Amino acid sequence: MEMAMVIMLLGLLSMTSVSCRPSYGLTASEYPAMNCRKHSASLTDYGGVGDGKTSNTKAFKAAIEDLSKFASDGGAQLIIPPGKWLTGSFNLTSHFTLYLEKDAVILASQDESEYPLIPALPSYGRGRDASGDGLRYSSFIFGTNLTDVILTGANGTIDGQGSTWWKNYKKDKLKYTRPTLIEIMYSSQIQISSLTLLNSPQWNVHPIYSSDIIIQGLTILAPIDPISPNTDGINPDSCSNVRIEDNYIVSGDDCIAIKSGWDEYGIKVGMPSQHIIIRRLTCISPDSALIALGSEMSGGIQDIRIEDIVAINTESGIRIKTAPGRGGYIKDIYARNVTMQTMKYVFWMIGSYGSHADEGFDPKALPEIKNINYNDMTATNVTMSGNLAGIKDDPFTNICISNVNIEMSSKPKKLQWNCTDIEGTSSNVSPQPCESLADKGAGNSFSCPFPTDKLPIEDVQLKTCTY
Ligand SMILES: *[C@@H]1O[C@H](CO)[C@@H](O)[C@H](O)[C@H]1NC(C)=O
Ligand SMILES: *[C@@H]1O[C@H](CO)[C@@H](O)[C@H](O)[C@H]1NC(C)=O
Ligand SMILES: *[C@@H]1O[C@H](CO)[C@@H](O)[C@H](O)[C@H]1NC(C)=O
Ligand SMILES: *[C@@H]1O[C@H](CO)[C@@H](O)[C@H](O)[C@H]1NC(C)=O
Ligand SMILES: *[C@@H]1O[C@H](CO)[C@@H](O)[C@H](O)[C@H]1NC(C)=O
Ligand SMILES: *[C@@H]1O[C@H](CO)[C@@H](O)[C@H](O)[C@H]1NC(C)=O
């Protein structure tokens, strides 16, 4: 009786100590995750060979199929040990963790036949690179209709080996759209963290039609454009409740791009990207944006919170991209504490982006762009402060810019602010913005708003798991 009590208490104690331990000061075999797993296996248990040459396509498939049996029994984790593990595209499963040890490198096969053809995304109607008869290459790591899936590690590497894809794309030799590195669709409870992602064939991380997502501690590297076209870092697309934090991205395209489908296809699917927080991002992207909203935004983009961001040698800060035909909306956007250095444009909005899926778009489908709030920013070595162009008879409204100090490069544009079809206010912004963003005259006591509530995904605590 007493013994049973002691055992019960010990059980309770060890349970609490596991779930309450903060996720710093972890030992080598511990890692933070939304969920821990009861079962564990190594890729070598399934015949994996980490010599960088042997194909592990069969080993990954066998391992994940086998471990999927534990989905309803506490889930399973697949450990990738140090080594170079070459493989073709593979599919994830539910209640599953892929864990890459330090010095583990998963190498993506460069053989096109290792990437199954799958249907184009319903909200895009076709592949972005090529129409491909409604088909596209599967992403390298793919998951669909899942719950509770985790990709993490001790900063192990996933190398997309994209160079052959980039070359073939530029030579216009691809019949189908290039694979993304990681795509997860129609899923919930997704964590992608503490990994190094290299050389994706195109976009790196693409959650779509999904919710409850944490993307954390990624180092994403690709040679800057024009070598690696469209290697965006993280692209949440028709996703809700997303937390993107502590990432370092050097990219050949936008560091982060929030999207929600393309023209008539995106309008029909009608799934917005919303309730997203992006914080503590460092971005280098000489030819693209720190954070783009669009250009595919036809399902709508709303309630986006951006804070504590550094951009270095990046074409623009936050960039709004849209066009007649897109429909949808971009509204309730909040950003604060952004530090920028060496920028072509600090603020950039473009209502004539064009780039349509096909001729079937409705030119009367005008996007609604409103309630965009930028507060507390500095930028140095800047060519132009604000290049803001709305749409004729469809102005971008309620734009608010406050407490911003911009220092020019040695060769600045003569016209620092160019605003057309833009309505809003400003306060304490230097150099002084255009007339359509008239200063409120409130000095630095005024700040454009930022939400005071927390998103549900901000309250999700990670547990300490072991492998
Ligand atoms: C992954 O799953 C999709 C269906 O959801 C399938 O078309 C594709 O062939 C699978 N990929 C692999 C590598 O088995
Ligand atoms: C995946 O989910 C989508 C959206 O709920 C659904 O339309 C589709 O049929 C599902 N696919 C599978 C293979 O269950
Ligand atoms: C991963 O890299 C980041 C950034 O360099 C570092 O702060 C973190 O401690 C590393 N994590 C592990 C588990 O090695
Ligand atoms: C602003 O962001 C920087 C970079 O992430 C951070 O170091 C700093 O503490 C932030 N400042 C405030 C007031 O939060
Ligand atoms: C300023 O920007 C120019 C490009 O516009 C770049 O060549 C130069 O190195 C930058 N200077 C500093 C101090 O960052
Ligand atoms: C200002 O922007 C408008 C609209 O994009 C453009 O037509 C015009 O040429 C720009 N003016 C200058 C001086 O760059």
Side-chain angles (χ1 to χ4, degrees):
M1 169 78 179
E2 260 171 52
M3 197 58 187
M5 276 290 280
V6 169
I7 288 168
M8 245 184 70
L9 274 170
L10 279 174
L12 279 173
L13 279 173
S14 66
M15 266 175 66
T16 5
S17 74
V18 166
S19 54
C20 293
R21 188 119 46 89
S23 59
Y24 51 79
L26 300 175
T27 67
S29 59
E30 292 177 331
Y31 66 93
M34 281 170 149
N35 285 304
C36 303
R37 308 301 181 197
K38 189 166 149 193
H39 303 270
S40 190
S42 165
L43 189 65
T44 53
D45 299 341
Y46 297 88
V49 179
D51 62 2
K53 294 187 203 114
T54 309
S55 170
N56 290 286
T57 306
K58 284 195 178 126
F60 271 98
K61 189 177 166 70
I64 297 171
E65 271 179 16
D66 188 40
L67 296 176
S68 71
K69 290 179 200 145
F70 298 116
S72 56
D73 177 31
Q77 60 193 359
L78 177 62
I79 310 299
I80 312 301
K84 288 188 173 170
W85 310 88
L86 177 69
T87 175
S89 166
F90 62 90
N91 282 343
L92 300 166
T93 188
S94 292
H95 306 291
F96 174 76
T97 300
L98 182 68
Y99 184 90
L100 278 72
E101 288 191 53
K102 187 171 177 291
D103 302 321
V105 181
I106 300 182
L107 286 177
S109 167
Q110 295 184 313
D111 178 352
E112 288 176 17
S113 70
E114 292 250 47
Y115 296 79
L117 292 170
I118 62 172
L121 295 163
S123 57
Y124 284 70
R126 49 162 284 175
R128 288 174 89 263
D129 293 346
S131 86
D133 304 324
L135 296 173
R136 60 189 182 116
Y137 289 115
S138 163
S139 61
F140 174 50
I141 299 181
F142 181 67
T144 188
N145 301 71
L146 306 180
T147 46
D148 179 15
V149 61
I150 299 173
L151 305 178
T152 190
N155 296 336
T157 298
I158 301 172
D159 185 343
Q161 303 208 92
S163 57
T164 53
W165 294 101
W166 305 331
K167 279 185 206 136
N168 287 337
Y169 169 72
K170 282 191 280 191
K171 287 186 195 148
D172 207 11
K173 272 168 70 180
L174 293 174
K175 184 159 180 224
Y176 305 101
T177 288
R178 288 166 286 164
T180 55
L181 194 65
I182 300 169
E183 182 177 84
I184 300 181
M185 59 181 204
Y186 300 123
S187 298
S188 67
Q189 292 186 61
I190 301 167
Q191 175 184 336
I192 304 173
S193 62
S194 303
L195 294 171
T196 305
L197 309 183
L198 301 181
N199 305 320
S200 176
Q202 52 139 332
W203 300 351
N204 278 273
V205 179
H206 186 217
I208 179 162
Y209 320 130
S210 293
S211 62
D212 301 313
I213 303 167
I214 295 179
I215 299 174
Q216 194 186 64
L218 299 183
T219 299
I220 302 181
L221 307 175
I224 55 183
D225 212 38
I227 298 165
S228 70
N230 311 110
T231 47
D232 298 26
I234 302 168
N235 289 7
D237 198 341
S238 295
C239 285
S240 291
N241 236 354
V242 187
R243 175 170 132 200
I244 301 173
E245 60 194 8
D246 300 304
N247 297 294
Y248 176 84
I249 304 175
V250 181
S251 124
D253 208 317
D254 304 320
C255 284
I256 293 182
I258 301 178
K259 296 176 182 283
S260 65
W262 206 3
D263 290 351
E264 68 273 25
Y265 305 102
I267 293 171
K268 188 169 170 207
V269 170
M271 259 185 105
S273 274
Q274 58 187 351
H275 314 311
I276 298 179
I277 180 153
I278 301 172
R279 56 193 176 195
R280 300 185 302 270
L281 163 69
T282 301
C283 164
I284 299 176
S285 174
D287 293 290
S288 290
L290 162 63
I291 297 171
L293 306 172
S295 83
E296 303 90 337
M297 41 63 69
S298 303
I301 295 175
Q302 66 182 345
D303 187 13
I304 311 299
R305 305 157 181 213
I306 297 165
E307 61 183 344
D308 306 338
I309 307 285
V310 176
I312 303 160
N313 190 14
T314 293
E315 186 180 31
S316 75
I318 298 161
R319 182 180 181 195
I320 292 178
K321 305 194 266 189
T322 186
R326 287 285 193 276
Y329 52 82
I330 299 176
K331 64 185 184 190
D332 308 332
I333 310 299
Y334 307 93
R336 66 181 177 196
N337 188 23
V338 180
T339 304
M340 294 167 266
Q341 182 195 321
T342 305
M343 314 289 289
K344 193 166 171 194
Y345 308 113
V346 177
F347 301 104
W348 200 5
M349 299 183 187
I350 173 162
S352 58
Y353 194 79
S355 172
H356 295 290
D358 54 35
E359 293 308 308
F361 70 94
D362 172 9
K364 293 200 195 73
L366 297 177
E368 184 187 27
I369 313 299
K370 67 174 190 193
N371 197 23
I372 315 292
N373 300 282
Y374 297 139
N375 179 50
D376 195 7
M377 302 189 179
T378 60
T380 53
N381 200 21
V382 165
T383 310
M384 184 172 181
S385 299
N387 187 359
L388 310 180
I391 297 171
K392 192 170 179 294
D393 302 323
D394 178 32
F396 297 177
T397 62
N398 205 5
I399 313 293
C400 181
I401 305 182
S402 64
N403 306 316
V404 174
N405 189 57
I406 299 169
E407 288 172 22
M408 295 310 127
S409 69
S410 55
K411 288 183 198 151
K413 283 246 187 200
K414 219 169 141 194
L415 184 64
Q416 274 300 307
W417 290 86
N418 185 9
C419 308
T420 45
D421 304 299
I422 292 289
E423 295 170 17
T425 59
S426 66
S427 179
N428 191 30
V429 175
S430 169
Q432 195 180 337
C434 41
E435 275 300 299
S436 50
L437 297 175
D439 197 323
K440 292 178 77 80
N444 56 14
S445 63
F446 174 83
S447 299
C448 303
F450 195 96
T452 51
D453 64 326
K454 268 197 199 171
L455 296 174
I457 193 73
E458 292 182 72
D459 285 327
V460 173
Q461 303 280 329
L462 300 185
K463 298 166 188 160
T464 294
C465 306
T466 53
Y467 72 90

